[in-house]
C-alpha cells in the first residue's frame, strides 16, 4: 500500500550527508522531527549540516566523520548507526564525485578513483544495508545514481559507468529483498545546481536541489523502484536510450 | 580552466549591465578561494540592490546564496544565528510558525542577511527600531587573507561598524546573529489615511509615531491641488493570538521583459489615480496579513521585468529636519515637472535611533524613494538634479538604490568615506565604489 506523505521516515541514516541534494531531503524530514545519523568526510561541513537540521526540528542528530572510500570501516560504522538510531527507516546514499573525463581517459588511476567512490563504496554499504533491511522486513534503501548511468556518452562515460553499474547492482538487490517488504529506490537526477556542477555552464535544464528532494520524498512515499527527478528526464532518457547504436556512436553527446 | 559562461549577475534595476565571473560559495570554508580568480572580489546576496553596489565590471562575484543554513535558535529570546546567504523569506518561513518576526524588514523579503547588513537596510519601523544593524548581535567577517574576525559592539567594534553598511567591501560575512521580535498573529492592524501635501504627511507621521510601522505612498504625477497627494499607512502587529501558519509561494513570475512602451506616462498616471481612489474613504481600518502589508510587490517575482530590458533607476534620499521640508517639495516638483512619471513612490519619516554603521544611510528626517524607467537623456539628467537638491538641503542618497551619483556628490553625502576606506579588504572592490571614489 502507498505510504502517505505524513508517513515520512523518521529514523534516517545519511551517507554523504553534506551533498546538496541530501541536505535538501534531510531538511524536509527534519521539519517533521526525524532523527539522523549523518556520515560525511568533512567535519566542519557535517557540523554545519547537523546544526541546520537541529534548528529546523530534528529530534536527534548524530554525526560521524568518515571517508566513505574506506570500505573496511563500513560495517562498524553502519552497526553504530543502527544502534544510535534504534532502527533505520531510511538509508540515503548520496556521496559521489563527477571526476574529469579527460583525465580518466588517459590515467586509469583517475577512473579507478571515480569507480571507487561512486560504485564500490555504495556496493559495500548496500551489501550491509540489504542484509540489515532484509532481516528487519521493512525500511527504505534510497541511492542517488544519475541519468548518466542510462547510456555511455563520450563526454562522461567513466562517471556514467559508475552509475550504470550501480543501477544494475540495485536492480538485483531489489529483485532479492523487495519481497521482504524493503523498498530499494534508484534515484536518477538530471542536472542539478550543486557544488558538483558549479563549474559547468548552467542552463534551463538545471533544477534546484529542493525540487529533487520533493521528487525523492514523493518516490519514497509511493514506494517506487526507480525515479527520474525532475520527472521529464524519464522522457529525455527514453529518447536517448532509443537511438540506435549505429547512429548514437556518431553523435556528439 | 575555461571561463564560466554563467548568465550575467544582474542587480534589481538591471542597470548598469556589467560582466564579472561568478563563483558560488557553498560552505563558509570555501572562502578564501582555493583557486585564483580575476580580481577584485565582491560578495553578492540576492541582487536586490537596484544599482551597482552588488556589481563588478570584471572580477569575481562571490555568490553567497548557498550559505543558507540556520545554525542556532533560542525560542525564548528569539536570537537566531544563520549563515549570510539565508534570505529574510527563509527566516520568516522558519520563525513565523514559532511566533517570531523580523526585527526590521525592507519592502521585499527576497534579500539575504548578508545584503541586509552590508546596506544596513531600514523598514517601515525605522522611527522606533532603527536599522537592521541595530538588531545584529554579532557576525563573523572573513578577510581575503584568511583572517576570521568575530565582530560585535564589544569585540572588534570598529570592524562591526565598518561592515554594517560597508557595502560588502570589508570582507565576507559568513554568519550573523540577529534578534527576532515576538508575534502572536500574522495579522497587522492597518490604518490608511489619505493626505494632500507634505505638511499633512508630516502631521500624520507625528500623530502616528506610536505605530510600529508607518510609510506613505505618494503620487508623483499629480499636480495643482492634488500635488503630493497620497495614502499614509500605519500598522501594528495584532495582539490577538491566531494560528501562525506559514506563507504560500508567490503566485506569479513575470517570465518575460515587457516592451518599453508598457510603462509610460499615461499608464503610470492611471495607476496612481487608481491607487489613490482604491481607498474611497478618507480613513480606512483593516486587519491584514503581513505579506500584502510588507511585501505587496513580492507576489509577482521579477516584477522588475515590467520595465523592459533597459531596466530601471531608483532614487532614494533623506532630507534631514534641519534642511526643512522645502527640499522634499522641490524634489517632488522636479519630478512632476520632468514628465518622468514614477510608478512607485514612497515617503517616510526616519527616526533618531542612531545607525550602528559607519556608512549607514538613514538619519533623522524625511526619506523619499521612487523608480524611474531608463530613458537615458532625460532620466540621467533628472537624477543629477535630484542629487543636487538633496545636497543643497544637507541630505544624502542611498547607495543600495543608486547607479548615477557622482564621486563629488557621494563624497559630500558621506564625508566619512575616507575613514571607512581604511577597512576595505585590499582584494575587494565594487563598480559602485570605483564610480564614487574615482578609484
Ligand atoms: C522591491 C524592493 C524593495 C526594497 N525596499 C527596501 C527598503 O524598504 N529598505 C531598504 O533599506 N532597502 C530596500 N531595498 C533594497 C534592498 O533591501 C537592499 O539592496 C539589500 O541590501 C539587498 O540585499 P541582497 O541580499 O539582494 O544583496 P545584494 O543586492 O546582492 O548585495 C547588496 C550588498 O551587500 C553586500 N553583500 C551581500 N552579501 C554579503 C556578505 N555575505 N558579506 C558581505 N557583503 C555582502 C554586497 O557586496 C552588496 O554591497 C529594496 C529592494 C527591492 C528590490
Ligand atoms: N548535481 C548533479 O547534477 C547530479 C546529477 C545526477 C546525479 N548526481 C548525484 O547526486 C549525488 C549528490 O551530489 P550533489 O549533486 O549533491 O553534489 P555535492 O553537493 O557535491 O555532493 C557530493 C557529496 O559527496 C561527498 N563525497 C565525495 N566523495 C566522498 C567520499 N569519499 N567520502 C565521503 N563523502 C564523499 C562530498 O563530500 P565533500 O563535500 O566533503 O567533498 C559531497 O558532500 C552524487 O551521487 C551525484 O553523483 C548529481
Amino acid at each position: 500500500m502507498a505510504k502517505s506523505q505524513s508517513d515520512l521516515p523518521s529514523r534516517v541514516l545519511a551517507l554523504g550527508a553534506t551533498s546538496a541534494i541530501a541536505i535538501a531531503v534531510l531538511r524536509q524530514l527534519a521539519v517533521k522531527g526525524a532523527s539522523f545519523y549523518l556520515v560525511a568526510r568533512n567535519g566542519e561541513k557535517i557540523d554545519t549540516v547537523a546544526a541546520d537540521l537541529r534548528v529546523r526540528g530534528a529530534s536527534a542528530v548524530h554525526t560521524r566523520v568518515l571517508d566513505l572510500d574506506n570500505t573496511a570501516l563500513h560495517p562498524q560504522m553502519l552497526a553504530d548507526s543502527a544502534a544510535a538510531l534504534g532502527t533505520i527507516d531510511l538509508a540515503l546514499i548520496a556521496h559521489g564525485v563527477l571526476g574529469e573525463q579527460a583525465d580518466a581517459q588517459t590515467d586509469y588511476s583517475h577512473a579507478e578513483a571515480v569507480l571507487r567512490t561512486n560504485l564500490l563504496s555504495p556496493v559495500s554499504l548496500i551489501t550491509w544495508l540489504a542484509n540489515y533491511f532484509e532481516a528487519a522486513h521493512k525500511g527504505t534503501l534510497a541511492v542517488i545514481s544519475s541519468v548518466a548511468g542510462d547510456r555511455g556518452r563520450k563526454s562522461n562515460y567513466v562517471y556514467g559507468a559508475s552509475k550504470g553499474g550501480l543501477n544494475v547492482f540495485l536492480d538485483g538487490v531489489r529483485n532479492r529483498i523487495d519481497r521482504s517488504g524493503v523498498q530499494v529506490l534508484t534515484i536518477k537526477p538530471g542536472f542539478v545546481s550543486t557544488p558538483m556542477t558549479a563549474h559547468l555552464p548552467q542552463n534551463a535544464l538545471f533544477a534546484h536541489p529542493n525540487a529533487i528532494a520533493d521528487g525523492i520524498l514523493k518516490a519514497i512515499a509511493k514506494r517506487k523502484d526507480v525515479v527520474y527527478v525532475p520527472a521529464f528526464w524519464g522522457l529525455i532518457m527514453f529518447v536517448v536510450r532509443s537511438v540506435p547504436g549505429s547512429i548514437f556512436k556518431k553523435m556528439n553527446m | 580552466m575555461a571561463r564560466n559562461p554563467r548568465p550575467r549577475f544582474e542587480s534589481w534595476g538591471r542597470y548598469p549591465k556589467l560582466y564579472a565571473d561568478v563563483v558560488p560559495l557553498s560552505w563558509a570554508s570555501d572562502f578564501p578561494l582555493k583557486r585564483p580568480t580575476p580580481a577584485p572580489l565582491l560578495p553578492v546576496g540576492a541582487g536586490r540592490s537596484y544599482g551597482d553596489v552588488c556589481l563588478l565590471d570584471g572580477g569575481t562575484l562571490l555568490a553567497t546564496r548557498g550559505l543558507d543554513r540556520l545554525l542556532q535558535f533560542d525560542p525564548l529570546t528569539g536570537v537566531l544565528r544563520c549563515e549570510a546567504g539565508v534570505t529574510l523569506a527563509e527566516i520568516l518561513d522558519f520563525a513565523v510558525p514559532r511566533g517570531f518576526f523580523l526585527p526590521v524588514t525592507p519592502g521585499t523579503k527576497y534579500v539575504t542577511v548578508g545584503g541586509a547588513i552590508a546596506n544596513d537596510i531600514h523598514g517601515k519601523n525605522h522611527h522606533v527600531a532603527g536599522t537592521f544593524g541595530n538588531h545584529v548581535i554579532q557576525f563573523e567577517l572573513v578577510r581575503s587573507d584568511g583572517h576570521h574576525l568575530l565582530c560585535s559592539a564589544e569585540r572588534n567594534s570598529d570592524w562591526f561598524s565598518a561592515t554594517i553598511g560597508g557595502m560588502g567591501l570589508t570582507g565576507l560575512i559568513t554568519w550573523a546573529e540577529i534578534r527576532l521580535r515576538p508575534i502572536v498573529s500574522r495579522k497587522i492592524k492597518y490604518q490608511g489615511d489619505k493626505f494632500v501635501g507634505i505638511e499633512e504627511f508630516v502631521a500624520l507621521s507625528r500623530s502616528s509615531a506610536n505605530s510600529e510601522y508607518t510609510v506613505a505612498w505618494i503620487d508623483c504625477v499629480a499636480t495643482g491641488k492634488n500635488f503630493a497627494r497620497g495614502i499614509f499607512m500605519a500598522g501594528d502587529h495584532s495582539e490577538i493570538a491566531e494560528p501562525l501558519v506559514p506563507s504560500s509561494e508567490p503566485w506569479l513570475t513575470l517570465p518575460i521583459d515587457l516592451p518599453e512602451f508598457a510603462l509610460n506616462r499615461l499608464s503610470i498616471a492611471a495607476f496612481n489615480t487608481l491607487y489613490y481612489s482604491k481607498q474611497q474613504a478618507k480613513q480606512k481600518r483593516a486587519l491584514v496579513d503581513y505579506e500584502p502589508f510588507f511585501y505587496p510587490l513580492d507576489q509577482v517575482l521579477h516584477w522588475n521585468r515590467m520595465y523592459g530590458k533597459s531596466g530601471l533607476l531608483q532614487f532614494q534620499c533623506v532630507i534631514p529636519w534641519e534642511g526643512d521640508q522645502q527640499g522634499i517639495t522641490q524634489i517632488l516638483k522636479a519630478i512632476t515637472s520632468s514628465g518622468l512619471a514614477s510608478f512607485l513612490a514612497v515617503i517616510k519619516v526616519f527616526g533618531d535611533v542612531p545607525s550602528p554603521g559607519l556608512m549607514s544611510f538613514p538619519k533623522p528626517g524625511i526619506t523619499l524613494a521612487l523608480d524611474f524607467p531608463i530613458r537615458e537623456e532625460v532620466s540621467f539628467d533628472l537624477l543629477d538634479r535630484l542629487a543636487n537638491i538633496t545636497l543643497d538641503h544637507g541630505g544624502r542618497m542611498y547607495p543600495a538604490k543608486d547607479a548615477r551619483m557622482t564621486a563629488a556628490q557621494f563624497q559630500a553625502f558621506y564625508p566619512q568615506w575616507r575613514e571607512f576606506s581604511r577597512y576595505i579588504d585590499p582584494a575587494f572592490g565594487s563598480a559602485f565604489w570605483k564610480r564614487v571614489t574615482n578609484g
Side-chain angles (χ1 to χ4, degrees), chain B residues 37-359:
Chain B
T37 59
L41 305 173
L42 182 71
V44 290
R48 251 57 179 190
S49 299
Y50 281 82
D52 54 2
V53 280
C54 59
L55 296 179
L56 273 175
D57 190 6
T60 307
L61 298 172
L62 307 170
T64 60
R65 273 293 282 125
L67 306 176
D68 68 348
R69 289 131 203 142
L70 307 180
L71 301 174
Q72 221 173 66
F73 179 66
D74 182 341
L76 295 176
T77 59
V79 172
L80 174 72
R81 182 187 293 194
C82 64
E83 291 186 311
V86 170
T87 64
L88 301 191
E90 288 164 348
I91 293 182
L92 289 169
D93 286 345
F94 170 79
V96 168
R98 289 170 171 79
F100 285 94
F101 199 76
L102 296 163
V104 164
T105 179
T108 172
K109 59 179 178 172
Y110 298 119
V111 305
T112 64
V113 168
I117 296 173
N119 276 323
D120 197 16
I121 61 167
H122 57 270
K124 297 179 179 32
N125 59 355
H126 183 272
H127 61 289
V128 288
T131 61
F132 192 85
N134 286 111
H135 307 271
V136 173
I137 300 164
Q138 55 174 342
F139 55 77
E140 181 186 68
L141 183 70
V142 181
R143 303 271 292 175
S144 62
D145 61 9
H147 265 84
H148 286 53
L149 296 169
L150 189 65
C151 305
S152 67
E154 290 79 38
R155 286 177 69 174
N156 294 310
S157 56
D158 51 340
W159 290 96
F160 187 68
S161 81
T163 300
I164 296 176
M167 297 167 283
L169 296 167
T170 63
L172 174 76
I173 302 165
T174 51
W175 59 260
E177 205 169 270
I178 59 175
R179 196 184 300 280
L180 305 178
R181 70 149 351 264
I183 51 167
V184 297
S185 161
R186 293 178 57 95
K187 296 272 166 55
I188 300 286
K189 281 180 293 181
Y190 165 84
Q191 177 171 329
D193 286 276
K194 286 186 169 183
F195 66 86
V196 180
I198 296 298
E199 272 173 27
E200 246 183 78
F201 160 75
V202 172
L204 279 165
S205 298
R206 293 245 156 84
S207 64
S208 310
N210 290 330
S211 286
E212 185 167 349
Y213 302 105
T214 65
V215 72
W217 161 81
I218 188 165
D219 186 339
C220 287
V221 186
T223 52
K225 69 172 177 24
N226 284 333
F227 176 72
R229 68 175 175 180
I231 298 177
F232 186 87
M233 299 176 261
D236 284 287
H237 289 283
S238 165
E239 277 139 24
I240 302 160
E242 269 189 55
L244 291 158
V245 295
S247 295
S248 50
E249 300 285 307
W251 52 270
L252 183 68
T253 299
L254 201 58
I256 48 153
D257 299 320
L258 290 191
E260 249 94 90
F261 59 78
L263 276 191
N264 55 34
R265 188 173 168 78
L266 274 179
S267 62
I268 289 172
F271 169 85
N272 278 284
T273 298
L274 258 175
Y275 199 98
Y276 188 77
S277 322
K278 198 177 75 176
Q279 176 174 333
Q280 297 278 328
K282 176 125 177 86
Q283 187 178 80
K284 179 185 165 184
R285 287 163 191 260
L287 205 54
V288 298
D289 190 77
Y290 76 77
E291 287 279 345
F293 180 77
F294 288 109
Y295 315 116
L297 300 171
D298 282 349
Q299 282 305 318
V300 184
L301 276 178
H302 292 296
W303 58 261
N304 53 341
R305 293 179 184 156
M306 188 169 72
Y307 282 89
K309 273 205 177 55
S310 54
L312 70 149
L313 297 166
Q314 262 258 338
F315 168 79
Q316 183 169 359
C317 67
V318 53
I319 303 290
W321 295 118
E322 310 92 84
D324 78 57
Q325 292 141 38
Q326 282 316 305
I328 289 291
T329 306
Q330 280 183 30
I331 286 172
L332 284 172
K333 288 218 161 104
I335 295 164
T336 47
S337 65
S338 76
L340 276 175
S342 180
F343 190 42
L344 299 158
V346 294
I347 183 165
K348 166 161 180 67
V349 165
F350 276 154
D352 50 17
V353 182
S355 302
L358 181 56
M359 296 291 284

Side-chain angles (χ1 to χ4, degrees), chain A residues 180-201:
Chain A
S180 309
V182 183
Q183 179 191 17
V184 178
L185 175 65
T186 307
I187 301 158
K188 296 182 177 178
F191 299 135
V192 194
S193 302
T194 70
M196 184 177 280
T197 53
H199 61 291
L200 300 174

